[in-house]
Amino acid sequence: VADEVHNCGTEKAMNTITNTFTGTLCKLGLSATPERFYDKPGTKRIFDFFGGIVYQLCLKTAQKQRKKSGEEMILSQYFYEVSFAPLTDDEEDSIEYWTRKIGTNMNNEEENSDDAFEREQAGLSSAAEKACIQRSKVCKKAVNKMEELRKILKKEDKNITQCLIYCAEVKQSDQAEEIFKQEGINDYVKYNYTIKGKEASLRLFKQSHARYIISVDGLNEGVDIQDCNTLILLSSSTNPREFIQRRGRVIRNPPGGKPAVKIFDISALPKRYNEGYEGLIKGRLLQIWEFIDASRSHQEQTKIETIRNNYNISINDLQTEIEKWCKD
């Protein structure tokens, strides 16, 4: 049995697995995100060894299920709020630069696709893939996200008992910490690979000695923090492994259950129109739409209406795509 089977898709990991377990009669891979983002060869390795998907549990279905008869639900309901931080002129220029790089390095098969989102999810050339990653990082690390964080803290701090904040990098977590200091909020800890005592930070948070934990990557999976009631996504991503695993940290129900949690998603997308941005825009809107679809906050759909219309992305386009992700 391979838990978090998406981690088995590297060539080295799969060589170890196949050398050790070749001939094993029964093999089971478990994952919320079995397909590896921008890695078709890695995904193929996983499916070739473990076989196809035999069972899926949709998030909305799981939200209706109880652990046992008469007990609390497996997952809590959640409210979702998305906000958009404007990119700076330099960030807009950087988006344009990396978009040109993507277009220059697309291979012929990808260029022949009619759908920009599908092209970017296809097997990109190495150079185009790197350009996509760099373009995505510009949006993830947008400097104006800090002011959106400040607005959330001003509005919600009095209601927060445990809040997990995801950042794109250590520099962004340092910027978030500065906002906390400016707002006079001191009961927080940081969790990232540069901190020697990061396990102590997690322990303080889990024991409610700190209300906030500012994290970089390390709490994506395998960490049990069921009492957490608020999630702030500074590092919004189109990578399903990131946004599905991160949402999972906060919607798990502890014994006895908990009220509906709150998820704040701070995003940044280019305002300058460019048809070359369609893949970037649709990928991000799909993730936002999926978050909204499983939430109690369907009114948030209106916040992306202008962006949808600018790129001729219909509600049906988004709904059809996310329903492919969820087949019970």
Side-chain angles (χ1 to χ4, degrees):
V1 177
D3 194 16
E4 307 293 2
V5 74
H6 48 262
N7 293 323
C8 299
T10 65
E11 188 171 359
K12 181 179 179 181
M14 190 53 68
N15 284 340
T16 300
I17 291 170
T18 52
N19 290 337
T20 306
F21 297 105
T22 295
T24 301
L25 182 61
C26 298
K27 297 167 287 189
L28 179 64
L30 306 173
S31 177
T33 53
E35 296 182 358
R36 291 170 62 88
F37 197 60
Y38 282 136
D39 184 12
K40 282 196 169 184
T43 299
K44 186 176 186 301
R45 292 186 196 105
I46 292 170
F47 282 77
D48 284 348
F49 184 79
F50 288 95
I53 295 173
V54 295
Y55 178 74
Q56 284 183 288
L57 179 62
C58 177
L59 174 62
K60 290 195 290 184
T61 301
Q63 286 173 318
K64 300 174 184 177
Q65 293 185 348
R66 298 185 182 276
K67 295 179 180 178
K68 292 181 181 178
S69 178
E71 290 190 359
E72 68 276 354
M73 306 302 237
I74 295 173
L75 301 176
S76 68
Q77 299 293 318
Y78 67 90
F79 295 99
Y80 174 76
E81 183 176 317
V82 62
S83 59
F84 291 93
L87 296 175
T88 65
D89 287 342
D90 285 345
E91 289 166 346
E92 291 272 5
D93 291 343
S94 186
I95 292 287
E96 288 186 11
Y97 171 81
W98 290 114
T99 299
R100 288 195 298 271
K101 286 285 187 182
I102 295 167
T104 300
N105 291 286
M106 285 286 193
N107 64 38
N108 290 334
E109 181 180 349
E110 291 141 16
E111 288 173 352
N112 290 334
S113 170
D114 291 331
D115 190 308
F117 177 72
E118 292 296 332
R119 286 202 306 272
E120 291 192 15
Q121 303 307 305
L124 299 180
S125 67
S126 176
E129 181 180 330
K130 288 177 181 178
C132 281
I133 292 170
Q134 292 301 319
R135 184 175 69 173
S136 177
K137 284 182 178 180
V138 176
C139 295
K140 283 185 177 183
K141 299 188 291 186
V143 296
N144 286 326
K145 286 186 174 185
M146 290 304 118
E147 288 308 309
E148 293 301 314
L149 173 62
R150 188 193 304 277
K151 292 176 186 177
I152 292 169
L153 295 178
K154 283 181 175 294
K155 178 184 175 184
E156 297 292 332
D157 179 61
K158 62 182 179 296
N159 302 317
I160 290 173
T161 56
Q162 277 196 315
C163 177
L164 175 57
I165 301 174
Y166 279 108
C167 300
E169 59 179 5
V170 173
K171 181 180 178 181
Q172 190 177 59
S173 75
D174 291 340
Q175 294 169 342
E177 181 180 24
E178 186 59 31
I179 297 296
F180 274 79
K181 290 178 178 178
Q182 292 171 8
E183 294 302 315
I185 302 172
N186 301 312
D187 48 349
Y188 66 87
V189 290
K190 295 173 71 177
Y191 186 99
N192 62 64
Y193 62 89
T194 68
I195 297 174
K196 292 182 179 180
K198 65 179 185 178
E199 295 306 322
S201 293
L202 180 58
R203 186 169 61 253
L204 287 169
F205 179 71
K206 292 175 72 171
Q207 294 174 349
S208 298
H209 297 304
R211 288 189 300 136
Y212 296 88
I213 186 166
I214 305 171
S215 170
V216 180
D217 290 337
L219 299 178
N220 282 355
E221 58 188 44
V223 178
D224 187 12
I225 43 178
Q226 296 178 0
D227 291 326
C228 190
N229 70 339
T230 310
L231 176 66
I232 300 176
L233 297 169
L234 277 166
S235 176
S236 47
S237 171
T238 58
N239 184 341
R241 190 186 310 172
E242 286 189 11
F243 72 78
I244 290 174
Q245 297 281 1
R246 291 176 179 182
R247 178 174 54 189
R249 296 314 94 197
V250 73
I251 62 174
R252 291 184 179 183
N253 253 339
K258 63 183 176 184
V261 302
K262 291 184 178 181
I263 298 177
F264 297 93
D265 190 354
I266 304 174
S267 187
L269 289 172
K271 287 195 172 181
R272 299 175 190 169
Y273 175 81
N274 184 323
E275 63 180 10
Y277 297 168
E278 185 179 344
L280 172 69
I281 300 295
K282 187 174 182 181
R284 183 69 182 107
L285 293 192
L286 278 169
Q287 185 249 298
I288 291 171
W289 195 266
E290 196 274 344
F291 260 92
I292 295 170
D293 188 60
S295 76
R296 292 183 173 180
S297 306
H298 284 213
Q299 74 281 356
E300 292 294 293
Q301 293 175 359
T302 61
K303 290 185 178 179
I304 62 173
E305 187 172 335
T306 299
I307 305 172
R308 283 198 303 100
N309 291 337
N310 286 344
Y311 286 88
N312 294 317
I313 300 170
S314 70
I315 290 175
N316 187 61
D317 290 336
L318 298 174
Q319 195 65 36
T320 300
E321 195 67 39
I322 68 167
E323 285 174 0
K324 293 178 185 177
W325 303 351
C326 181
K327 298 176 181 177
D328 288 337

